[in-house]
Amino acid sequence: VVIRCQARQRLEQRVELLLIGVMPGATALPGAGNSALGDAEESSNTPEVTDGSSATLEFLYELQYQSDEIRSRLESLVGMQLVEKEWDTESRIVTLIFNVVFAPRKPMRNEATVVIQCTAGGLWKFPLVFIATEPEVDDVINIEAVGLNKESIVGFKLTSQTR
């Protein structure tokens, strides 16, 4: 999945992830939980998917980054929340629909991985690519020359939103 946004803009995008081969009614794996995904600083959630019978499936999900440097760059710029779950009993496919928010401040290209684990067994990994393109030009400064080989001085103030 590629999520592309212009720098200094905010994008909300729905992302559908298909989990194939989910087995309803399977017993939960011993020790399955947040620790099975490693020590993730991103908050893991446990949504439930019900197919109308007694079998209830729970999923843990987290956004993992390739390095701590990428984590520090992306963590405050990316938000991910599960908004909908669909269960197809015939094909045994669970569709998880996420709302992904991306608000980059400057141009960049980074990758992350969504890791989803079913407590009844199963692990899925989906790569995400976050691309922030060049922002729109804030303003244009025109400096007119007095003449050839003559000094011309113009003063203006620049302010920044960050330090």
Side-chain angles (χ1 to χ4, degrees), residues 11-155:
L11 173 75
E12 280 193 46
Q13 182 173 328
R14 290 172 60 100
V15 175
E16 291 187 15
L17 301 178
L18 301 177
L19 308 181
I20 299 171
V22 178
M23 302 297 284
T27 58
L29 295 174
N34 286 345
S35 61
L37 295 178
D39 36 334
E41 293 179 23
E42 187 77 21
S43 61
S44 294
N45 297 298
T46 57
E48 294 181 353
V49 176
T50 307
D51 64 352
S53 68
S54 62
T56 300
L57 299 173
E58 291 184 16
F59 295 91
L60 304 172
Y61 68 93
E62 74 169 318
L63 199 54
Q64 291 182 343
Y65 305 96
Q66 293 176 331
S67 68
D68 289 336
E69 180 184 344
I70 293 174
R71 175 185 295 279
S72 66
R73 266 190 254 151
L74 278 181
E75 202 166 41
S76 64
L77 308 177
V78 176
M80 187 170 171
Q81 181 181 12
L82 183 69
V83 291
E84 193 175 332
K85 306 159 283 283
E86 296 175 1
W87 167 250
D88 185 354
T89 54
E90 291 178 13
S91 64
R92 291 195 330 229
I93 296 176
V94 173
T95 303
L96 299 180
I97 301 173
F98 292 91
N99 186 37
V100 178
V101 177
F102 183 41
R105 292 186 281 270
K106 59 185 180 179
M108 61 178 228
R109 177 187 172 93
N110 286 303
E111 297 179 9
T113 304
V114 178
V115 179
I116 301 172
Q117 181 178 11
C118 180
T119 54
L123 183 69
W124 295 265
K125 294 183 179 185
F126 299 94
L128 293 177
V129 179
F130 294 96
I131 300 174
T133 59
E134 291 287 334
E136 290 184 24
V137 176
D138 286 333
D139 207 350
V140 176
I141 300 172
N142 292 321
I143 302 175
E144 294 183 21
V146 174
L148 202 57
N149 294 324
K150 294 183 181 176
E151 283 188 15
S152 180
I153 299 174
V154 175

